Each structure stands twice: as structure tokens, then as C-alpha cells.
């Protein structure tokens, strides 16, 4: 995913002369060095100081630039208070990108695995949150976030190569995408883990719809409510804590608009640990195999 | 004083002019803190500094607050908002009448500055963030070939924040010469004397060791303030000015104490303070 992040940044760098990219000693692992090679005067590696970087980005935004900050999601959250009090409060045009999110930092262990970043960003007023699911969507999401005004958090992983979409024009801020129709249960997911949901739905006797939600905020309310109405039970799947993320957002919405049972698959109030990416997905039930089991159990509740 | 067409000509020429401005601004601050509680001590320690910047130094235009080539002022110590609001009103960014709405529901004069008020360049209130924002503004101005200078005013208590030291490193690394940091060294922070809460000295040597040019000045002496600001123009390094000040300056019953950290003046105190301002120089 990081390589596509760089591709998206270079594309937007060409379209907008006032786009500048900032990072903090992670130009290599975020692949933002590729933007640096193309636009050396619009790239700032400010060292290992996330809080300062957010302040500098705020200043650049106040001077009319469009700063894009790329850091590991886990350590970007170190500057949450700076994001709150300076960026979000003043509605500054700062674009935040958290990489190595979810469990993708795998063997590096819990310190590097961001499992609460969506929750932390969701509570900030004016913050748009995008979690793209495949390369094309990532590239389009980067352009889309630069085209809107205001703070944005874009969350990607590391080396995932899942492919959900063919062709172009796949992403629009605030729009969920139905990848498969079904009547028994609605699988709603975000990010690259949508590919596991799709796999689960394709080889199951349960007739499931699969809805990919690349924008967590603003949430596609109509798509979620309509899924609740047509299937009557929802399974949320995300590489994040089950609290405060996509599942939390959906539970908040449906509890008032159209209450149905909601089952949340994700990391249950715990930290991750070292392991291979796939081992970790299995441990936290984020594989097609486990999703299929949950689907079977779910329809018994209808 | 300036030949740039976008700047207004509200600069004071004579020492008498600037002293009148200071008196008037101090009066506005006292009125605000009689009307509503606020950080009076901290507003009075940096009042001359902000006034000199806006009326003798900075290129800015209250009629065109977003003029691209303007100089920027960031109040990192956002709790001194009454001083900044009073200066902005005096300069004509909004009416002095509006100062009465300070801290009231629906007001543009929030307890700590935010962008809804004309003339405010950056949000503040959470300490230790202003210098980083100043670095970004200075970098942006430089990259776009603008002449803008960026002035950041911090409190000495704020030096406790790690982000401040990160920003010192960043500014020196980027060799920003259009950034001027001023530290209001009044020696107090919320809980007591700065050196008792967390030792700052040797502050000058610490900042110099980060690659900054550091000056010191009497932060209540108008002539000295303008001199040091002029000196700062020629530096090839980022410049910090440590301004030695007194918390609550100009009001005898608050001066150099922490009593006025956050306070609402009662009627008697208000009248006494006003009297001292009228009699003072």
C-alpha cells in the first residue's frame, strides 16, 4: 500500500503546486522519499518529533500551503492533542496520513500497531476519515482529500496488495460501495480487510451482502441504514479495536435510526503482539474463515 | 517606517505616542478583567512587547488582515489573550466595544485565541505549540518568496513543554531567519516561581546551544524593545529574545506576584488599578 501512497502523492504533487509533504525520519518506510525525489523543495523531513511536525504543518496551512503529514499511524497519535487543539479546532487544511496501521506492523509488535487511531480521530470535530481498501482507491482518495478543505486522516497499512476494484472513479468521499448483494446478513468493513469479508461471502451458504466503507467520517448513513433494513443483522469487520471505530460508528447510528443486532469483529479491548501479519489476522478473527463462522452464528439470531 | 503598500500607517513615531497607546491598552485590559475573569498578571507582563510589535515594528493592515505580505504574530501563551485583544482593538481590527464580550457565550473573543477573530493568526491555549506553528509560517513565507517575518511570543513556563525544544531544533536546522521568538520571562507559572516548579536556567545558554542567536532585554522598556527587534533583523540564525518582565506590571498590588495569574478585579481593585494607570508613565 505504501508504494501506492507514494504514487498518489506524486500525482497530487503535480496537480497542486502548493502541496508539501512532511515526515519525521520515516521517509523510507512510508515511501514518501519517492515524493522527495520528484519535489525536493516541497518535502520536509523534520526528524523524530511528531508534535512539532503537526505544528509546522499547521503553520504551513496557515500560510496557504496544503501540507500532507505522513507518519506511522501509531506515532502520529502521539500528537493527538496538537491535532485537536491546533488543526481540528481551527479547521486547518492539514492532511494526515497514518501508515503501518492496524496489524500490518506485525512483527514489530504492539508498540507499532495502531488499533485505536480511527477512534481517536473520529471524536475530533471537522475531521474526515478515509480508510481505502485497495491501490486504486488509495490513489483516488489522496486526490479527493486534497480537493476538499479541512483536516483529513487517511489510514493505510504496509504491504497489502488486495484488489477490490477495476477501472477508475472508484472512490468518492462519504460513499460506501456494495461489492456483493445478499439478504441474510450484511458484512460491513473498511480498509483492505474488506477482501477477507468478500472472500467469506463468496464461499458461504449464508447469503451475505458486502459493503465496503472507505470513509468512516462522514459515514454513508443511507447505505448503512438500508443494509440494516434489508438484512436485519450486521457484522462489522475492521483491523482496529472494536470500540470507537467503524463498528462503533455503525452502532451509534443504528441504535437511533434502525436498531438491529450488530456483531463486531476486530481487536477486543487488547493490544496486539509480534507475529506474522496473517497469524495476527487469524488470532483476532479477521480471516475469511472466521468471518464465515460468525456469519453462520449470526443468522441464528434472526 | 514602511514602504509596503499593503501595510497600514498606524505606526507610532514618537515615544509619547507609544506611551499613550500602552496606557490605553492597559486600561482596556483592566476593564476586561473587571468585567470577566482572566489572566491579568500574564497579560500585563507582555503588554509593552505586543504593543511595540503592532505599533512600531510589524507590517500589517487591520483593514486587510489577510494581506499576503504581512508580518505574523503568534501568541503561544494564549492565556494572555486580553493583552492581544486589547492591542488588536486599539489597532482597529474590531471595535473596542467588542472587548466587553470577552469570554461571553457567542463572542469572537474566546477565553483563548482562535481564528474566528480578525487579526488572530493561529489558535493557542494549549501551551508549547506556538513556536512550531511559527516555524511552519516562516517556512511557508520563505518558500513563497514573501517578506513576512514571524514573531512568536511565549511564556517562560511554556519552556517546560518538550515540543518547544523540538521546534527550536527544527528552526535552527532549517536556518530560518524570518522567525523571531520572544520569551516573556516573568519568572512565574501557574503553581509558583518558574525555577521552583521546573528549573529553566540557564535559559539563554540552552537556547544558544540549539543554534539560535539570543538577546535579552528589559521587556517593559519600549526603547530597548524596539532596539533589540531591529537588531534581530540582521541575524543569520533564528533569533530569540528573552524579555525580562514582571507579572502584573503596572499595578502595585499585583506586580511581581502570582496573585493576578487568573483573577477578576472587584470594583475597588478596578478603580485602584485605573488610578495607577492614569498616574503612571
Amino acid at each position: 500500500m505504501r508504494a501506492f501512497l507514494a504514487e498518489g502523492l506524486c500525482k497530487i504533487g503535480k496537480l497542486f503546486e502548493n502541496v508539501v509533504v512532511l515526515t519525521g525520519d520515516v521517509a523510507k518506510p512510508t515511501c514518501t522519499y519517492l515524493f522527495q525525489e520528484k519535489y525536493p523543495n516541497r518535502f520536509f523531513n523534520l526528524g523524530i518529533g511528531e508534535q512539532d511536525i503537526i505544528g509546522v504543518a499547521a503553520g504551513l496551512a496557515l500560510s496557504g500551503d496544503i501540507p500532507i503529514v505522513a507518519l506511522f499511524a501509531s506515532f502520529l497519535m502521539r500528537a493527538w492533542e496538537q491535532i485537536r487543539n491546533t488543526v481540528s479546532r481551527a479547521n486547518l487544511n492539514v492532511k494526515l496520513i497514518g501508515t503501518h496501521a492496524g496489524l500490518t506492523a506485525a512483527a514489530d509488535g504492539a508498540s507499532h500497531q495502531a488499533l485505536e487511531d480511527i477512534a481517536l480521530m473520529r471524536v475530533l470535530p471537522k475531521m474526515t476519515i478515509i480508510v481505502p481498501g485497495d491501490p486504486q482507491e488509495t490513489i483516488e482518495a489522496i486526490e479527493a482529500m486534497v480537493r476538499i478543505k479541512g483536516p483529513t486522516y487517511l489510514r493505510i497499512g504496509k504491504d497489502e496488495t488486495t484488489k477490490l476494484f477495476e477501472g477508475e472513479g472508484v472512490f468518492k468521499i462519504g460513499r460506501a460501495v456494495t461489492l456483493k448483494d445478499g439478504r441474510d446478513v450484511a458484512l460491513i468493513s473498511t480498509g483492505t480487510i474488506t477482501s477477507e469479508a468478500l472472500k467469506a461471502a463468496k464461499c458461504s451458504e449464508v447469503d451475505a451482502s458486502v459493503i465496503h466503507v472507505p470513509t468512516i467520517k462522514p459515514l454513508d448513513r443511507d447505505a448503512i441504514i438500508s443494509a440494516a433494513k434489508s438484512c436485519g443483522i450486521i457484522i462489522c469487520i475492521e483491523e482496529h479495536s472494536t470500540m470507537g471505530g467503524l463498528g462503533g460508528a455503525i452502532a451509534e447510528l443504528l441504535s437511533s435510526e434502525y436498531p438491529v443486532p450488530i456483531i463486531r469483529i476486530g481487536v477486543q479491548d487488547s493490544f496486539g503482539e509480534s507475529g506474522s501479519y496473517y497469524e495476527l489476522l487469524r488470532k483476532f478473527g479477521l480471516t475469511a474463515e472466521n468471518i464465515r463462522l460468525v456469519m453462520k452464528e449470526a443468522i441464528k439470531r434472526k | 517606517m514602511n514602504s509596503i503598500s499593503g501595510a497600514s500607517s498606524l505606526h507610532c513615531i514618537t515615544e509619547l505616542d507609544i506611551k499613550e497607546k500602552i496606557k490605553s491598552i492597559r486600561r482596556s485590559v483592566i476593564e476586561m478583567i473587571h468585567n470577566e475573569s482572566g489572566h491579568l498578571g500574564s497579560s500585563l507582563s507582555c503588554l509593552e512587547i505586543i504593543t511595540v510589535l503592532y505599533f512600531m515594528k510589524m507590517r500589517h493592515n487591520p483593514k486587510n488582515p489577510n494581506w499576503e505580505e504581512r508580518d505574523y504574530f503568534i501568541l503561544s501563551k494564549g492565556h494572555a489573550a486580553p493583552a492581544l485583544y486589547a492591542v488588536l482593538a486599539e489597532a482597529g481590527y474590531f471595535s473596542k466595544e467588542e472587548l466587553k464580550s470577552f469570554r461571553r457565550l457567542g463572542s469572537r473573543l474566546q477565553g483563548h485565541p482562535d481564528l474566528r477573530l480578525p487579526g488572530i493568526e493561529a489558535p493557542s491555549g494549549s501551551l508549547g505549540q506556538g513556536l512550531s506553528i511559527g516555524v511552519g509560517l516562516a517556512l511557508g513565507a520563505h518558500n513563497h518568496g514573501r517578506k513576512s517575518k514571524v514573531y512568536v511570543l511565549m511564556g517562560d513556563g511554556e519552556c517546560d513543554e518538550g515540543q518547544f525544544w523540538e521546534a527550536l531544533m527544527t528552526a535552527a536546522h532549517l536556518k530560518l531567519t524570518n522567525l523571531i521568538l520572544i520569551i516573556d520571562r516573568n519568572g512565574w507559572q501557574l503553581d509558583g516561581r518558574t525555577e521552583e516548579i521546573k528549573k529553566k536556567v540557564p535559559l539563554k545558554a540552552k537556547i544558544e546551544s540549539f543554534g539560535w542567536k539570543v538577546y535579552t532585554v528589559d521587556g517593559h522598556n519600549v526603547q530597548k524593545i524596539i532596539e533589540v527587534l531591529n537588531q534581530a533583523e540582521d541575524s543569520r540564525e533564528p533569533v530569540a529574545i528573552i524579555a525580562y518582565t514582571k507579572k502584573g506590571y503596572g499595578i502595585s498590588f499585583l506586580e511581581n506576584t502570582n496573585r493576578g495569574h487568573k483573577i477578576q478585579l472587584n470594583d475597588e481593585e478596578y478603580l485602584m488599578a485605573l488610578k495607577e494607570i492614569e498616574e503612571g508613565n
Side-chain angles (χ1 to χ4, degrees):
Chain A
M1 226 44 172
R2 300 173 287 172
F4 303 107
L5 165 66
E7 193 181 327
L9 289 177
C10 290
K11 189 177 169 212
I12 205 70
K14 197 175 173 187
L15 288 172
F16 292 87
E17 278 187 357
N18 57 343
V19 161
V20 294
V21 173
L22 292 86
T23 192
D25 199 34
V26 282
K28 286 175 194 161
T30 57
C31 291
T32 49
Y33 72 93
L34 293 165
F35 182 91
Q36 180 182 21
E37 284 173 6
K38 275 206 157 177
Y39 305 103
N41 298 327
R42 288 155 58 189
F43 181 82
F44 305 99
N45 190 338
L46 299 181
I48 314 165
E50 293 81 9
Q51 303 169 49
D52 178 49
I53 291 169
I54 294 302
V56 174
L60 285 163
L62 287 163
S63 81
D65 283 333
I66 305 175
I68 301 179
V69 178
L71 292 165
F72 283 18
S74 181
F75 309 122
L76 174 60
M77 296 305 129
R78 180 193 186 101
W80 183 85
E81 196 269 349
Q82 282 76 6
I83 296 170
R84 175 191 184 271
N85 258 322
T86 300
V87 175
S88 169
R89 186 159 67 93
N91 197 22
L92 297 183
N93 202 18
V94 174
K95 312 301 175 185
L96 307 166
I97 298 179
T99 68
H100 298 64
L103 296 160
T104 61
D108 279 326
S111 59
H112 285 54
Q113 295 161 357
L115 296 171
E116 53 294 290
D117 52 322
I118 296 174
L120 289 167
M121 290 296 111
R122 260 191 73 219
V123 289
L124 295 177
K126 302 178 183 116
M127 185 66 71
T128 296
I129 303 172
I130 303 170
V131 190
D134 87 344
Q136 180 62 26
E137 197 172 51
T138 301
I139 292 166
E140 290 185 21
I142 290 167
E143 181 171 341
M145 78 171 181
V146 171
R147 286 192 184 279
I148 59 164
K149 274 217 157 187
T152 306
Y153 176 56
L154 183 123
R155 179 198 216 231
I156 64 163
K158 193 181 168 196
D159 296 321
E160 323 87 290
T161 52
T162 54
K163 192 163 164 56
L164 300 175
F165 300 104
E166 299 291 337
E168 293 183 358
V170 302
F171 177 78
K172 193 169 167 241
I173 288 175
R175 185 181 69 185
V177 187
T178 301
L179 297 174
K180 179 186 173 301
D181 281 317
R183 291 171 165 205
D184 295 340
V185 58
L187 305 182
I188 305 183
S189 63
T190 189
T192 53
I193 211 70
T194 293
S195 65
E196 292 296 316
L198 203 54
K199 238 190 281 176
K202 278 180 178 166
C203 312
S204 168
E205 63 262 36
V206 180
D207 184 24
S209 65
V210 179
I211 299 160
H212 174 58
V213 182
T215 314
I216 309 258
K217 193 179 175 186
L219 195 63
D220 189 339
R221 296 167 53 95
D222 292 346
I224 308 287
I225 294 168
S226 126
K229 283 181 179 166
S230 57
C231 296
I233 187 160
I234 282 172
I235 301 174
C236 299
I237 305 140
E238 60 190 317
E239 223 178 299
H240 186 270
S241 167
T242 50
M243 289 181 277
L246 174 69
I250 288 174
E252 284 166 24
L253 172 69
L254 293 182
S255 66
S256 69
E257 297 301 316
Y258 196 85
V260 296
I262 300 166
I263 297 162
R264 284 176 274 170
I265 302 178
V267 178
Q268 310 261 357
D269 200 17
S270 77
F271 285 101
E273 62 174 298
S274 289
S276 77
Y277 181 50
Y278 192 74
E279 283 170 334
L280 288 164
L281 289 185
R282 210 162 47 198
K283 177 181 161 93
F284 292 108
L286 287 159
T287 57
E289 197 185 359
N290 182 60
I291 296 167
R292 226 172 277 134
L293 293 175
V294 176
M295 284 159 65
K296 273 195 200 166
E297 288 302 308
I299 51 168
K300 292 181 193 160
R301 292 175 62 175
K302 284 184 80 173
Chain B
M1 190 145 290
N2 67 66
S3 56
I4 309 295
S5 58
S8 71
S9 55
L10 43 79
H11 282 177
C12 295
I13 309 296
T14 71
E15 205 171 326
L16 189 67
D17 287 343
I18 192 78
K19 286 200 165 153
E20 281 306 310
K21 289 280 178 213
I22 288 167
K23 202 181 249 190
S24 168
I25 289 161
R26 196 174 282 142
R27 205 182 294 122
S28 297
V29 168
I30 301 298
E31 279 165 10
M32 288 164 84
I33 307 298
H34 175 231
N35 228 5
E36 184 62 68
S37 70
H39 296 83
L40 179 57
S42 188
S43 296
L44 293 173
S45 66
C46 60
L47 191 141
E48 285 88 350
I49 297 165
I50 305 178
T51 308
V52 167
L53 281 169
Y54 276 86
F55 288 97
M56 296 181 82
K57 191 70 206 165
M58 283 169 36
R59 302 168 313 123
H60 66 110
N61 186 350
K63 300 284 174 282
N64 184 14
N66 297 323
W67 172 48
E68 268 202 347
E69 293 279 337
R70 72 190 181 277
D71 294 336
Y72 292 86
F73 175 76
I74 297 174
L75 184 68
S76 187
K77 45 174 286 183
H79 52 286
L84 177 57
Y85 295 161
V87 168
L88 291 175
E90 191 77 31
Y93 281 88
F94 48 87
S95 78
K96 282 192 183 182
E97 185 64 23
E98 195 169 347
L99 292 174
K100 288 180 185 156
S101 71
F102 173 54
R103 284 179 176 252
R104 297 279 159 85
L105 191 67
S107 171
R108 298 195 293 180
L109 281 69
Q110 291 289 294
H112 293 80
D114 78 24
L115 297 183
R116 75 189 75 182
L117 187 68
I120 298 296
E121 301 285 10
S124 56
S126 172
L127 296 172
Q129 299 195 29
L131 188 59
S132 299
I133 301 171
V135 168
L137 272 171
L139 189 58
H142 176 264
N143 290 346
H144 293 285
R146 297 178 197 139
K147 294 192 186 78
S148 308
K149 292 207 174 291
V150 180
Y151 296 90
V152 177
L153 179 67
M154 277 183 62
D156 48 0
E158 274 187 274
C159 296
D160 293 352
E161 293 280 7
Q163 188 185 346
F164 165 56
W165 302 92
E166 293 178 6
L168 282 177
M169 281 177 84
T170 304
H173 181 78
L174 296 171
K175 300 187 175 68
L176 295 173
T177 55
N178 55 345
L179 177 68
I180 294 109
L181 166 68
I182 305 166
I183 298 176
D184 177 5
R185 186 76 170 109
N186 65 29
W188 292 96
Q189 55 196 98
L190 194 150
D191 273 338
R193 284 278 182 192
T194 57
E195 301 315 294
E196 285 165 16
I197 303 302
K198 188 145 86 176
K199 186 171 167 256
K200 276 88 177 157
V201 293
L203 189 57
K204 183 169 184 276
K206 283 176 184 166
I207 298 171
E208 278 169 343
S209 77
F210 277 66
W212 285 59
K213 174 80 184 162
V214 187
Y215 297 95
T216 58
V217 71
D218 171 353
H220 298 303
N221 185 322
V222 168
Q223 202 50 46
K224 297 284 182 204
I225 296 170
I226 192 70
E227 276 172 30
V228 78
L229 288 171
N230 288 339
Q231 263 179 304
E233 307 255 291
D234 304 322
S235 178
R236 290 186 191 167
E237 302 148 311
V239 173
I241 299 166
I242 300 176
Y244 288 94
T245 60
K246 286 177 179 163
K247 205 162 179 172
Y249 181 73
I251 301 181
S252 60
F253 55 91
L254 298 178
E255 195 169 295
N256 215 13
T257 74
N258 221 15
R259 227 202 102 209
H261 179 81
K262 193 175 179 196
I263 194 173
Q264 181 167 12
L265 296 174
N266 62 33
D267 291 345
E268 190 189 346
E269 291 168 327
Y270 167 65
L271 291 173
M272 263 164 68
L274 270 189
K275 191 159 170 270
E276 288 190 17
I277 289 169
E278 296 312 324
E279 288 168 357
N281 300 308

mmCIF file of all heavy atoms in Angstrom, chain B residues 5 137 244:
data_model
loop_
_atom_site.group_PDB
_atom_site.id
_atom_site.type_symbol
_atom_site.label_atom_id
_atom_site.label_comp_id
_atom_site.label_asym_id
_atom_site.label_seq_id
_atom_site.Cartn_x
_atom_site.Cartn_y
_atom_site.Cartn_z
ATOM 1 N N SER B 5 2.956 48.758 0.226
ATOM 2 C CA SER B 5 1.644 49.353 0.009
ATOM 3 C C SER B 5 0.544 48.683 0.835
ATOM 4 O O SER B 5 -0.420 49.315 1.219
ATOM 5 C CB SER B 5 1.287 49.275 -1.466
ATOM 6 O OG SER B 5 1.310 47.925 -1.871
ATOM 7 N N LEU B 137 4.839 28.769 9.498
ATOM 8 C CA LEU B 137 4.513 30.036 8.820
ATOM 9 C C LEU B 137 5.759 30.659 8.200
ATOM 10 O O LEU B 137 5.725 31.159 7.062
ATOM 11 C CB LEU B 137 3.907 31.026 9.824
ATOM 12 C CG LEU B 137 2.398 30.958 10.012
ATOM 13 C CD1 LEU B 137 1.984 31.836 11.189
ATOM 14 C CD2 LEU B 137 1.666 31.412 8.754
ATOM 15 N N TYR B 244 12.935 40.211 30.035
ATOM 16 C CA TYR B 244 12.723 40.165 31.487
ATOM 17 C C TYR B 244 11.581 41.091 31.848
ATOM 18 O O TYR B 244 11.598 42.282 31.510
ATOM 19 C CB TYR B 244 14.009 40.511 32.225
ATOM 20 C CG TYR B 244 15.016 39.385 32.108
ATOM 21 C CD1 TYR B 244 15.989 39.379 31.108
ATOM 22 C CD2 TYR B 244 14.940 38.280 32.965
ATOM 23 C CE1 TYR B 244 16.874 38.315 30.967
ATOM 24 C CE2 TYR B 244 15.813 37.215 32.834
ATOM 25 C CZ TYR B 244 16.774 37.235 31.843
ATOM 26 O OH TYR B 244 17.636 36.172 31.703
#
